[in-house]
Each structure stands twice: as C-alpha cells, then as structure tokens.
Amino acid sequence: MIDVLVVDDDAQVAQINAAYVAKVQGFRVSCVAHTAAQALAALETHPVELILLDHYLPDRTGLQLVGELRRRGLVTDVIMVTAARDIATVQAAMRHGALQYLVKPFTFAGLRSKLEGYAALHRTFAGGGQAEQSEVDRLFGALGAANAGSAELPKGHSTATADRVRSVLRSADTPLSAQDVAHRAGLSRQTAQRYLKLLERAGRVRLTLRYGETGRPEHRYEWV
C-alpha cells in the first residue's frame, strides 16, 4: 500500500480528496492536514510515500513546505493539487521536484489517473537494478502518460469506454488479446482494438506477441 498525506486548508475539500484517494486500489490515506505546520507534525509520526499538497495554506505556501521538507532531508514524493494555475507557480513546482500538478477543480478520474501513473513509477523504482535508455525514457514519460484512458482523451473517445478497457486489463492475471478484452468489456473487437492502441501509445499498456505454428502472431495486451 502507498501511504498518502492529504494537505488542504479547506477541511471539506481535504475530506473529498481523501475519499478519492481511498477509492484507488493500492493507496490509503495516512492522515489529513490543513496547515503546513500540521503536515510537518504528521510526517514526524506518520511517514508517507506521497503528499497531495495544496499550494494555498494559511501559514506558508505548499512550495515553501516542500522546500522545508527537502531541508529536513525528507524525500517524500509530492503531487500538487491546487487552484494555482499561473505559470510561475507551475514552474516553481517543477523545480521543487513535484511529480505532478493537478489544477482544481478536477474529477475523480483526473486524480485517479495521476495516482495510477505514480503507482506504476513507484513499483518500478521499488525493483531497483539498472536501466537502459529506453527504460529511462519510459520512467520519465510514465506520469505524463497517466491521463490516457481517463481525463484527457482524443476527440471521439469515451472516458467510460476507456475505463471499461482499463478495468478488464487490470483484473486480468495474464495478457489478453483484443478479442478477449472485447468479450469481457462487452465491446466490439474494433472498438477494443482502438482503445488498446491508445493506451499502448500512452505507455499504460504493454504489447507482446504470441507466435503460433502458422500465420501471423497474436497481439497480447497487459496493464503496465
């Protein structure tokens, strides 16, 4: 499980964000804070892997809080969740090492996509080892690709359909063919294939080939 600290000055918004986090598989809310001081105190007793951090806090800004964390030697990952949308703040967040930046107001699908991208990155880092350039490129692109299949889809694509394809792949124990996905999701093979290609391009799905004795190899898909 990935432990999360939710920080937002608005108690109601903080509870909503915490409820969203709790709905995403593999994540749990360790604690909720409404000020930077509360967040620092919480981290002393409840270390977490990830902070969902608002920028506008009553005692200091979210970015000032990140700076304080780094001065204390805490390398906790941060996803900014804030109404601040000026380029200067976004740029500062990047320079402070925020992994993602989610602008309020947002939907559950929007937050879920960020968390799923982070989870994929977290699993890869936990494995350790060496990385070739292709793996490095995939790691740096993982979070940016997280939107595919949820909040930001190309014209003509449905979030609901993408969610069905995603759900089928995530629940599968082995790689699936496009026909398998279509059958389980209740879609036509052509529709399933279209969404699978979209998710593959975004780095959310891995494509492998299964060779038979004759004919063309079968494409098999699995969730990354």
Side-chain angles (χ1 to χ4, degrees):
M1 297 292 288
I2 296 173
D3 288 315
V4 181
L5 167 62
V6 175
V7 184
D8 198 292
D9 67 317
D10 187 313
Q12 183 176 4
V13 171
Q15 290 302 321
I16 292 173
N17 290 349
Y20 279 172
V21 171
K23 292 171 63 177
V24 181
Q25 183 179 0
F27 290 84
R28 64 186 174 194
V29 177
S30 174
C31 45
V32 175
H34 307 301
T35 68
Q38 289 178 3
L40 289 170
L43 289 171
E44 289 181 358
T45 55
H46 297 88
V48 300
E49 286 80 26
L50 177 66
I51 304 175
L52 291 189
L53 181 60
D54 187 17
H55 182 58
Y56 297 120
L57 301 175
D59 48 350
R60 65 175 75 183
T61 68
L63 293 182
Q64 288 172 339
L65 174 57
V66 175
E68 178 63 24
L69 294 177
R70 302 304 181 239
R71 282 190 292 272
R72 296 188 181 195
L74 298 175
V75 292
T76 309
D77 294 322
V78 174
I79 294 179
M80 298 298 296
V81 180
T82 177
R85 59 181 68 211
D86 59 284
I87 297 300
T89 300
V90 175
Q91 183 182 45
M94 296 174 66
R95 289 176 173 172
H96 278 71
L99 292 180
Q100 271 288 9
Y101 198 105
L102 188 60
V103 177
K104 296 178 180 178
F106 56 86
T107 63
F108 168 61
L111 177 59
R112 179 181 61 190
S113 69
K114 305 298 187 197
L115 294 178
E116 289 180 346
Y118 174 77
L121 198 66
H122 188 268
R123 287 192 298 271
T124 301
F125 286 153
Q130 302 291 315
E132 300 296 334
Q133 183 63 53
S134 59
E135 178 70 2
V136 172
D137 291 341
R138 188 184 71 79
L139 290 172
F140 272 88
L143 289 168
N147 288 326
S150 57
E152 299 175 8
L153 291 170
K155 185 177 180 180
H157 289 75
S158 161
T159 298
T161 303
D163 283 345
R164 288 163 69 182
V165 172
R166 180 195 1 249
S167 178
V168 167
L169 290 170
R170 292 190 64 180
S171 62
D173 296 327
T174 59
L176 302 176
S177 67
Q179 185 59 51
D180 292 333
V181 174
H183 176 73
R184 298 187 187 191
L187 304 170
S188 69
R189 187 184 184 284
Q190 291 78 8
T191 298
Q193 186 73 59
R194 186 156 55 99
Y195 282 84
L196 287 167
K197 288 182 178 179
L198 173 67
L199 292 168
E200 182 204 350
R201 288 196 300 269
R204 308 303 293 133
V205 166
R206 180 182 296 112
L207 170 64
T208 57
L209 300 179
R210 188 173 73 175
Y211 291 88
E213 294 182 359
T214 59
R216 298 167 58 184
E218 181 182 47
H219 289 196
R220 310 281 288 184
Y221 300 89
E222 62 180 328
W223 190 255
V224 175

